[in-house]
Amino acid sequence: MEGGRFVVFDVETPNFKNDRMSSIGVVVVEKGRVTERFCSLINPEESFSPFNIRLTGITPELVADKPTFPRLWDKLRDIMEGAVLVAHNAPFDMGVLGKCLEYYKIPWHRSVSYACTVRMGRKAFPQLENHRLNTISDYLGIELDHHDAMSDAAACAQILLHCMENGLNVKAFIKNYDLIMRKTLG
């Protein structure tokens, strides 16, 4: 699987609806190494909840002049196309991606391949009390500024690489995700 192309991503959202992004971090892993990074704040064109502002530090003022999701989509699509998408607690990030595509009426694939590093972490680190991103990052000595999309994506990519380097069959964790129904298939 070292020859595979993985796009590790993390999104932050402005409120509890989780149907828009206020930030995205992306790390591309090819042939067992990081080959590209991309990060952007995003104007979600949506209200922010005080909870999400406290969690992420992202305010309406910070994103007021930032690109909207449709303006970023061509770049994101080019990066994500043909790759296995990877996230920590992937159904959340995949769901937000699906909701953004739906809201903005952006056509893409009905389903895409994805893998979740929470599931990998449960297999690779059964001794841990939980498999949250910060717990696994602490265990592996990975630097993390939690709820910063780029930092979360980079940590997730390091977890993926650790699993690959230590013989975990990453291919066994690849599933298909229906972006319209927002659920794992099969």
Side-chain angles (χ1 to χ4, degrees):
M1 204 62 208
E2 274 81 22
R5 184 167 185 275
F6 300 91
V7 173
V8 184
F9 77 109
D10 181 81
V11 302
E12 301 301 333
T13 61
N15 57 47
F16 66 93
K17 292 189 271 184
N18 299 324
D19 62 353
R20 309 283 181 81
M21 297 177 193
S22 53
S23 180
I24 189 167
V26 179
V27 177
V28 179
V29 173
E30 295 179 281
K31 299 180 182 172
R33 65 183 191 85
V34 172
T35 59
E36 184 178 354
R37 294 173 185 261
F38 173 76
C39 184
S40 182
L41 289 171
I42 301 170
N43 181 341
E45 302 180 297
E46 177 68 277
S47 64
F48 280 72
S49 74
F51 173 83
N52 288 58
I53 291 172
R54 279 191 308 276
L55 185 69
T56 67
I58 301 171
T59 64
E61 295 76 25
L62 273 177
V63 299
D65 63 346
K66 300 302 178 196
T68 60
F69 181 79
R71 286 192 43 221
L72 283 178
W73 177 243
D74 285 345
K75 171 126 179 111
L76 292 172
R77 183 190 61 229
D78 288 349
I79 294 171
M80 293 179 167
E81 193 66 49
V84 174
L85 303 183
V86 179
H88 201 78
N89 192 23
F92 172 81
D93 299 89
M94 298 297 294
V96 174
L97 176 61
K99 288 176 186 178
C100 283
L101 292 168
E102 177 184 29
Y103 178 80
Y104 288 108
K105 296 178 180 24
I106 298 172
W108 197 39
H109 304 287
R110 165 109 195 198
S111 68
V112 293
S113 297
Y114 83 100
C116 179
T117 53
V118 170
R119 293 186 67 240
M120 289 180 209
R122 287 184 186 130
K123 180 73 172 177
F125 315 109
Q127 71 278 21
L128 296 180
E129 66 183 58
N130 66 59
H131 297 89
R132 295 181 188 126
L133 185 60
N134 58 327
T135 302
I136 297 175
S137 294
D138 286 347
Y139 180 76
L140 295 175
I142 297 168
E143 189 175 318
L144 177 67
D145 180 9
H146 204 14
H147 300 296
D148 172 275
M150 190 67 242
S151 183
D152 287 359
C156 184
Q158 290 305 308
I159 293 167
L160 172 67
L161 287 166
H162 178 88
C163 289
M164 292 168 70
E165 290 162 2
N166 287 279
L168 187 70
N169 180 7
V170 172
K171 189 174 184 176
F173 292 89
I174 298 174
K175 307 284 184 197
N176 286 315
Y177 189 88
D178 186 318
L179 289 164
I180 294 170
M181 298 300 290
R182 288 184 289 285
K183 67 177 187 171
T184 299
L185 300 171

